[in-house]
Structure formats: structure tokens, C-alpha cells
Amino acid sequence: MQSNNSMQPTPSVDSKYSQADDNGISEFDHTATRMPMLKPALSLFIALAIILGLCYPLLMTGVAQVIMPSKANGSLIERNGNLVGSTLIGQRFDQPEYLWTRPSAAGDGYDAAQSSGSNLGPLNPELVNNVAAQIQKLKGADPQNTSPIPLDLVTMSGSGLDPHISPAAAQWQVNRVARIRGINSEQVQKVVDDNTEGRQFGWFGEPRVNVLAVNLALDELSGIK
């Protein structure tokens, strides 16, 4: 009796070549199937790149320039043909006749290319020292003012470029500005009120005062160009 192994047929040489040919044909078929799909995929990629990467941005830029050119160009403010700033970017004001904005940790201060917060935790001694220094600066500029100093005048914003302060922070500075400029506090307060923005849609955010807008209006009121 022969074993099971001896009873199994041995593949012939021709069958081996046949299997090899079948494998080769199968791989060729897959390649041939993929090649026709490459052209429409590449065409679709190019078309979408042109539409979404070029046409759409140009269209939106054109629409923005027509509908809201000031906002589209960065909400820039010019006086007498000179660019003085943007309503969206805070800047340094140290003179006592101006409203002061929040302290800044952006670069050397109010550097739009290095927007950043101080990243100091509430238990960090450096934060305590910075706040104490700012308090001394504010009291030194207006020693007659014994009212509590609003928090946003002694702390830095997350961006370091906040162009706004709270109405309370503006109110705290009204008497100093009026005294230095030689005008009534009511006049300064009116300028502050005129440049106070309410909550967005009457619901979101908090009322805020644009510091640059107030200071420019104060210069106009005092006849400074």
C-alpha cells in the first residue's frame, strides 16, 4: 500500500509556468485598472486647488473690499494723512494726559509681531511684583485718586495687544486726564462715553472702551493735531 504522500500528483513544469503567467497577468490587470483612475483624480486635485486656493480667496477679498473696506484692511486709523494705529491693536500710552491701556507682555510691549501673555501663574512672585509696580505707577501719576484701581489696569491681557479697557478703568483715569489737559471732567467723560462699545448683539462680551479712539478724540478736543 502506497502512502498518501506518494499518491499526491506532482505539479508539472507546465503548471508552474501557468501559475506564474496568471500572477503576472493579475498584477498587470491591477496596474491597468489603476492607471485610468489617476488622470481624473489629478484633474480634480488641480481644479479644486485653483477654485479653493485661488478663485475663492480672491472673490472673498474683492467682496470684503467692496462691502467693508476699512475692516478688510485692518481697521486702520489715519489722522492728517498719517497712520496712527488700528482700532484692533493696543499701543503704549505713558503720558498722563492720555488714557492708559492694559500692561503688555508682547515682546517689549505692544509688539504686534510677538503677541503673547505673560503666562505667569497666580502664585508666581513675578506676577505679584508686576502688579505692585503697575499700582505704584498709576498712583504716582494721580496721587489724589484714592479709589480702588480696576483689575484690568494692573494685569496683562492674553494677547498683550488688547485695545480696550473696561468703562471702570477709563472712569478711574478721567480726573487725571482732565486736570492735566485743563478741561472739565465732564468733557473727558463724554469722550469716553462716545467711544464705549456695548455688548455684541446686546448679549455677548462686556462693555469696553477703545483707548486709541478716546485719546485721538481728546487731542481733537484740546486742539492738538
Side-chain angles (χ1 to χ4, degrees), residues 71 197-208:
K71 292 182 178 180
E197 306 169 25
R199 291 182 173 89
Q200 190 171 18
F201 308 121
W203 185 262
F204 299 106
E206 296 293 334
R208 55 205 179 275

Side-chain angles (χ1 to χ4, degrees), residues 140-153:
D142 190 8
Q144 301 175 12
N145 193 343
T146 58
S147 301
I149 299 176
L151 185 63
D152 52 321
L153 285 180

Side-chain angles (χ1 to χ4, degrees), residues 9-27:
T10 303
S12 64
V13 175
D14 292 340
S15 65
K16 291 181 180 180
Y17 284 115
S18 176
Q19 292 175 1
D21 291 342
D22 291 342
N23 291 336
I25 293 172
S26 178
E27 292 177 1

